[in-house]
Amino acid sequence: MTDNAQQQPSAPHTELPTQYAPADVEGPLYERWVERGYFEADAKSDKPAYTVVIPPPNVTGSLHLGHAFEHTLIDALTRRKRMQGFETLWQPGMDHAGIATQNVVERELGKEGKSRHDLGREAFVERVWQWKGESGGQISGQMRRLGDGVAWSRERFTMDEGLSQAVQTIFKRLYDDELIYRAERIINWCPRCLTAISDIEVEYQDDDGELVSMTYGEGDDTIVVATTRAETMLGDTAVAVHPDDERYKHLVGKEIRLPLTDRSIPVVADTHVDPEFGTGAVKVTPAHDPNDFEIGQRHNLPSLTVMDEHAVITAHGPFQGLDRLEARSAIVAALRAEGRIVAEKRPYVHSVGHCSRCKTTIEPRLSMQWWVKVGPLAKAAGDAVRDGRVKIHPQEMEKRYFDWVDNLHDWCISRQLWWGHRIPVWYGPNGEVVCVGPDDEAPTGEGWHQDTDVLDTWFSSGLWPFSTLGWPEQTESLAKFYPNSVLVTGYDILFFWVARMMMFGLYAMDGTPPFHTIALHGMVRDQFGKKMSKSFGNAVNPLDWMDKYGSDALRFTLARGANPGVDVPIGEDWVQGSRNFANKIWNATRFALMNGATVDGPLPEPSAMSATDRWILSRLNSVVAEVDALYEDFQFAKLSDALFHFAWDEVFDWYVELSKTTFQAGGPAAEVSKRVLGEVLDVTLKLLHPVVPFVTETLWTTLTGGESIVVADWPSDSGFRDTAAEREIESLQAVVTEVRRFRADQGLQPGQRVPARLELDATPFAAHEAAIRQLLRLQPEGEAFSATATLPVAGATVALDLSGTIDVAAERKRLAKDLAAAQKERQQAEAKLGNEAFLAKAPDNVVDKIRGRLTKADEDITRIQAQLGRLPEA
């Protein structure tokens, strides 16, 4: 805990409104934080650095629940570290999102009846920048709504001049180190976006297709092959079989006729072929299949491209000009007419790759592209985790990381787009190739031209942890804030983004990894655990919930579901519950202020405190220690739950209620409790602040008169513990809880007063009689008092006179009826479970259900008998 006498000035309390209205508070409060520069980071500061980068959202995007979830976690971490005295940088910015942004602007042009080709490259790029200025980046305003404590003055964009220089610099270095090269290989091609996409931008799903088996060759040289892409047969240049397959040894080395063409193709032996799968023979199309390309390389086969970039057939013949799907049907029909179809299976469900941007089925295609040789880079990225320089949290995610980086294929980085970082390579009239760095002059003269492709978006975002700090310049910010302290991101982009940053960070920064810890979280799902999607009808706009319940309510709900690496279910009723929690904090603080709670001066000595005061301070210190440990382990759900139950159950439902009698009595004890209550609220609000910043700021500044909770000191565990006081209050709680349960069982209204005699002298809480009576609505015993029910609990005895509050005879009659029903239920369940014939035929779930009924009946009988035993005789 902290010494409030030194930490903040004393100030008269401002009266709080009767209700908390988030809409009136959040916007102005956030702007005040920004104006005061609380979120800015000073590279010249002597404070230790704490750095987190925002996973840069697409400039085309808007805030969805996944963003809100991730931002809540990062904001909680950085707010706490700022309060702990770190020079904290949460780096904001956006990604230019090559394909997605180009698609958006092309759609806008389409509304005008134009295409990008009508404008030309330069004018189109200018149009994209214009769109970015007018419409892009709406997510920034939504981040403010959520309360993101980012350093807005440092906001970056991956197409900024400085970041573009970083891209050009690292491309040049990789090129000079022969880690970037140009080669013709099979790539994933999107016929809709008209560009190559990387393996991790391909989404696979089970589609209904067809599996067609057909014969190649004639007579004794006939061989059967099967395919789901019959149209590619026009580009076949071989049939492959396993070298040990006795069925085809007589064909290996021979040439057989390729149907529907005037070509013959060889039969080759290759160990890649699985003799147990299908017929054991596969058609080889090197220009349209990655595995076939490898076979073609091993056997020096030609690669025939038979489709253009739109997936339209270009091979000469009757199929030329047909779309790939049209050609598929036409080719199968033509083969059927020749009697070459052996079998057709429809539907044939198989995994098919789709473009993650537009969902078009991708087409493997031989193409000249730029590649990163990832072998040495990926090894360094794996070694950094293996040797402990980088921790992955939760640790079980390490296996997924290693499975990826240890088996990484060379990365295709060129994209056939106009929006993005253009590849800094020039070609000369005589075949010259020149890679140009940011300080180099591009070659000029007749015949020289720059490569038309741009770089994959992940190439520039892979530089994000250091390019945003000024690299390649050796800036003060780079020296201060690199490497990042932690990366908080979803496990779904472990391969997209995290691996890229690891490879580039280690390469560019002389072996220093880009962050110390990778903290992976799960995906947000609906309350039933189903993926959120517009097509499912369960997608939620977080702004709607923030408008309805406040940003704090949404944030607390998200944090309370955030177990490391695990998906997060969320429903509107949970957000409503978090709104109720914010209201509870508000009302409890308002009560404390109205009763004189204060933070002025040091805490009284423990000897001057009541057991109730010592109990809550002991519990408070335990919670501070628990929350600190959970933050260090990224256990957001557990720390949020611990704070919820401490604040609601212990502070508001017990300490505040127990303090009411003390405040009413007045005197020195009341003054001590006012100071203790002020301390408890001060610390509790600070502990809650990183997750629910708006309501805690309003309450804390009102309570303490301090400048802002954003820059207040984070609480520390003073070490104060009082186990005797904790045991004493636990005993008191046991008495109150048991009597409340009894009252409820007897049908008494919560506010109904009952005469009672308390025998507390032999207990450790004799001093709490007034509080117990107030909490339980127990009035003093009168002259006509008659103990009709006696409850011994926790060493105390509570005798109640119910003669004037309930009709004992009617209550006995009601309970006797309930008991008879429970006993009948037990008899029926026992009879079924004792019937061997029934057990032999009944499904397991039915038997389990009956066992559950038996258990419930036993519990009901025990409960009702206890209630009857407590009632006086009628």
Side-chain angles (χ1 to χ4, degrees):
M1 293 182 288
T2 53
D3 185 348
N4 288 286
Q6 298 178 9
Q7 182 187 332
Q8 64 262 327
S10 173
H13 300 312
T14 303
E15 186 175 344
L16 289 169
T18 55
Q19 291 184 323
Y20 176 50
D24 297 337
V25 170
E26 293 175 352
L29 200 53
Y30 186 85
E31 291 310 314
R32 192 181 315 145
W33 289 335
V34 172
E35 289 168 5
R36 292 179 177 178
Y38 292 153
F39 305 139
E40 296 303 323
D42 183 3
K44 294 183 171 64
S45 169
D46 293 332
K47 297 178 183 178
Y50 187 82
T51 315
V52 186
V53 294
I54 194 171
N58 289 351
V59 68
T60 58
S62 61
L63 192 73
H64 56 65
L65 270 179
H67 287 126
F69 172 54
E70 186 168 76
H71 290 202
T72 294
L73 305 187
I74 300 174
D75 198 40
L77 290 174
T78 52
R79 283 179 182 269
R80 172 174 173 262
K81 286 296 183 180
R82 191 176 291 112
M83 295 172 74
Q84 287 182 315
F86 285 78
E87 193 62 37
T88 303
L89 169 61
W90 183 9
Q91 173 67 53
M94 287 180 290
D95 190 276
H96 65 279
I99 296 176
T101 304
Q102 180 156 321
N103 284 345
V104 168
V105 178
E106 285 197 79
R107 282 196 296 270
E108 293 297 312
L109 284 174
K111 295 174 184 177
E112 304 170 13
K114 299 178 181 177
S115 73
R116 60 181 165 122
H117 299 286
D118 295 325
L119 271 66
R121 184 166 191 147
E122 289 188 11
F124 176 76
V125 170
E126 183 62 32
R127 180 68 177 262
V128 179
W129 277 108
Q130 179 184 339
W131 174 87
K132 190 258 181 186
E134 295 173 355
S135 307
Q138 61 175 308
I139 202 168
S140 296
Q142 295 165 339
M143 287 166 60
R144 293 171 181 265
R145 281 289 311 276
L146 192 64
D148 288 2
V150 299
W152 287 112
S153 70
R154 292 173 172 265
E155 187 176 13
R156 304 304 300 268
F157 180 54
T158 49
M159 290 284 286
D160 283 350
E161 182 179 350
L163 271 65
S164 296
Q165 182 184 11
V167 168
Q168 194 173 353
T169 299
I170 201 162
F171 187 100
K172 170 70 170 172
R173 291 187 187 179
L174 289 164
Y175 181 86
D176 289 346
D177 286 344
E178 298 184 349
L179 293 173
I180 281 183
Y181 63 93
R182 192 169 184 242
E184 190 176 43
R185 290 190 179 177
I186 292 286
I187 47 90
N188 304 299
W189 181 264
C190 176
R192 159 62 184 81
C193 298
L194 297 179
T195 182
I197 59 176
S198 65
D199 291 342
I200 52 180
E201 292 171 299
V202 178
E203 294 178 350
Y204 288 90
Q205 65 184 49
D206 288 341
D207 287 356
D208 287 343
E210 62 181 5
L211 180 66
V212 179
S213 298
M214 50 196 175
T215 60
Y216 284 11
E218 307 289 349
D220 293 339
D221 292 344
T222 298
I223 194 166
V224 178
V225 297
T227 183
T228 58
R229 301 163 64 221
E231 67 279 8
T232 63
M233 66 154 294
L234 301 175
D236 286 358
T237 56
V239 171
V241 298
H242 194 278
D244 298 331
D245 195 331
E246 294 294 333
R247 294 171 296 176
Y248 303 118
K249 280 199 171 182
H250 68 288
L251 289 176
V252 174
K254 286 188 176 182
E255 297 225 343
I256 60 175
R257 178 173 172 253
L258 179 66
L260 308 182
T261 72
D262 58 0
R263 292 190 292 115
S264 293
I265 58 176
V267 177
V268 299
D270 196 282
T271 54
H272 171 76
V273 179
D274 180 1
E276 303 298 324
F277 183 77
T279 64
V282 297
K283 58 190 286 299
V284 181
T285 322
H288 293 278
D289 184 274
N291 292 321
D292 293 3
F293 177 79
E294 296 297 331
I295 294 174
Q297 292 289 296
R298 287 193 289 272
H299 297 277
N300 296 315
L301 300 174
S303 297
L304 302 181
T305 299
V306 296
M307 273 180 269
D308 67 12
E309 64 269 23
H310 297 279
V312 171
I313 300 297
T314 57
H316 292 297
F319 312 108
Q320 187 174 14
L322 294 180
D323 170 82
R324 55 182 166 170
L325 298 182
E326 296 172 333
R328 182 175 301 170
S329 299
I331 287 171
V332 171
L335 290 168
R336 191 183 299 115
E338 286 192 5
R340 288 188 173 276
I341 299 297
V342 176
E344 296 178 70
K345 185 175 181 180
R346 297 188 186 88
Y348 177 72
V349 179
H350 62 133
S351 182
V352 178
H354 296 259
C355 173
S356 63
R357 298 293 181 187
C358 69
K359 311 309 176 187
T360 301
T361 300
I362 63 103
E363 190 64 42
R365 186 167 187 260
L366 187 63
S367 180
M368 182 67 76
Q369 302 285 345
W370 285 95
W371 304 80
V372 171
K373 183 179 179 181
V374 299
L377 302 175
K379 181 181 183 304
D383 290 345
V385 175
R386 286 190 170 94
D387 63 24
R389 282 176 289 156
V390 178
K391 305 289 186 184
I392 293 181
H393 191 279
Q395 191 174 1
E396 54 265 27
M397 288 286 181
E398 282 187 2
K399 183 179 184 303
R400 297 177 69 172
Y401 177 79
F402 291 135
D403 286 346
W404 179 256
V405 298
D406 292 348
N407 299 285
L408 201 55
H409 298 295
D410 282 3
W411 172 19
C412 177
I413 56 171
S414 45
R415 299 291 180 268
Q416 288 65 55
L417 304 170
W418 287 357
W419 172 245
H421 296 101
R422 196 164 173 182
I423 288 176
V425 172
W426 270 254
Y427 305 105
N430 299 312
E432 302 95 333
V433 179
V434 176
C435 181
V436 177
D439 299 325
D440 301 332
E441 290 289 334
T444 58
E446 186 176 350
W448 282 93
H449 64 280
Q450 186 177 358
D451 196 299
T452 57
D453 289 351
V454 300
L455 287 163
D456 178 11
T457 300
W458 297 105
F459 190 95
S460 52
S461 60
L463 314 180
W464 193 248
F466 50 94
S467 64
T468 52
L469 298 173
W471 187 92
E473 300 299 323
Q474 298 303 306
T475 64
E476 288 183 319
S477 290
L478 189 65
K480 178 71 175 180
F481 296 113
Y482 187 91
N484 291 188
S485 306
V486 62
L487 173 73
V488 179
T489 192
Y491 62 69
D492 58 322
I493 57 173
L494 182 61
F495 315 131
F496 281 88
W497 189 44
V498 179
R500 310 301 193 204
M501 287 189 290
M502 286 286 284
M503 290 191 295
F504 283 167
L506 289 159
Y507 173 79
M509 298 301 292
D510 299 321
T512 302
F515 18 73
H516 297 300
T517 302
I518 302 167
L520 298 171
H521 59 72
M523 305 296 103
V524 178
R525 298 183 178 271
D526 71 12
Q527 59 189 316
F528 306 108
K530 189 174 182 180
K531 180 181 178 181
M532 285 191 172
S533 165
K534 290 181 181 179
S535 61
F536 294 154
N538 63 351
V540 174
N541 182 347
L543 294 176
D544 292 341
W545 282 352
M546 287 192 279
D547 289 341
K548 195 170 183 180
Y549 303 111
S551 298
D552 285 334
L554 176 63
R555 288 171 61 116
F556 192 72
T557 305
L558 292 166
R560 208 172 172 196
N563 291 296
V566 178
D567 289 346
V568 183
I570 185 172
E572 184 170 2
D573 55 337
W574 303 344
V575 185
Q576 185 175 353
S578 296
R579 189 271 313 274
N580 296 342
F581 179 50
N583 289 342
K584 186 80 170 180
I585 303 169
W586 183 273
N587 292 333
T589 307
R590 187 168 177 270
F591 165 84
L593 291 170
M594 292 170 62
N595 284 276
T598 180
V599 297
D600 295 339
L603 280 170
E605 290 298 320
S607 59
M609 298 179 188
S610 67
T612 307
D613 294 332
R614 297 195 306 277
W615 160 72
I616 197 62
L617 289 176
S618 181
R619 287 292 304 125
L620 179 66
N621 276 285
S622 295
V623 170
V624 169
E626 181 183 7
V627 168
D628 273 334
L630 291 170
Y631 259 116
E632 295 304 315
D633 199 34
F634 305 102
Q635 297 283 356
F636 297 97
K638 290 182 179 179
L639 71 89
S640 298
D641 209 49
L643 286 170
F644 174 86
H645 287 294
F646 174 70
W648 193 307
D649 299 344
E650 298 185 75
V651 178
F652 306 149
D653 280 358
W654 284 105
Y655 184 71
V656 167
E657 292 300 318
L658 289 169
S659 298
K660 286 180 179 178
T661 54
T662 306
F663 293 152
Q664 290 168 1
E671 296 305 311
V672 170
S673 291
K674 289 175 184 177
R675 179 64 187 87
V676 171
L677 179 55
E679 179 75 7
V680 170
L681 286 175
D682 173 25
V683 174
T684 302
L685 291 171
K686 288 175 180 175
L687 293 174
L688 284 165
H689 173 72
V691 181
V692 285
F694 294 107
V695 67
T696 51
E697 169 80 335
T698 305
L699 295 175
W700 186 85
T701 52
T702 303
L703 172 71
T704 67
E707 177 189 345
S708 172
I709 197 171
V710 177
V711 291
D713 290 340
W714 181 254
S716 58
D717 176 9
S718 70
F720 175 78
R721 300 289 191 280
D722 192 323
T723 54
E726 290 192 33
R727 285 195 300 269
E728 183 172 332
I729 301 305
E730 285 169 6
S731 298
L732 182 152
Q733 291 171 328
V735 172
V736 172
T737 300
E738 182 61 27
V739 176
R740 279 177 173 166
R741 184 181 297 115
F742 175 76
R743 287 176 58 107
D745 288 344
Q746 306 312 315
L748 296 175
Q749 296 299 314
Q752 190 173 353
R753 302 194 72 81
V754 178
R757 179 173 63 244
L758 307 185
E759 298 176 7
L760 305 172
D761 293 344
T763 70
F765 43 80
H768 302 293
E769 179 169 350
I772 292 173
R773 286 188 178 277
Q774 179 165 312
L775 290 169
L776 293 172
R777 304 297 188 267
L778 302 179
Q779 63 190 38
E781 55 188 298
E783 292 183 4
F785 179 82
S786 175
T788 58
T790 303
L791 304 175
V793 57
T797 301
V798 180
L800 303 172
D801 183 354
L802 304 178
S803 57
T805 56
I806 64 172
D807 184 336
V808 176
E811 185 65 13
R812 277 192 169 277
K813 186 176 180 180
R814 181 185 71 79
L815 289 172
K817 183 178 178 181
D818 291 346
L819 180 61
Q823 289 170 335
K824 183 178 180 181
E825 174 74 1
R826 179 171 67 180
Q827 289 171 358
Q828 292 176 340
E830 285 179 332
K832 286 190 175 182
L833 293 173
N835 186 333
E836 295 295 334
F838 169 78
L839 293 176
K841 296 179 181 178
D844 290 344
N845 65 316
V846 173
V847 175
D848 289 342
K849 187 175 181 179
I850 293 171
R851 288 194 179 113
R853 285 169 50 191
L854 178 61
T855 301
K856 175 69 164 52
D858 285 336
E859 292 172 350
D860 288 344
I861 290 168
T862 301
R863 175 179 56 80
I864 296 167
Q865 287 176 337
Q867 289 177 246
L868 282 166
R870 294 191 187 108
L871 283 176
E873 295 298 325

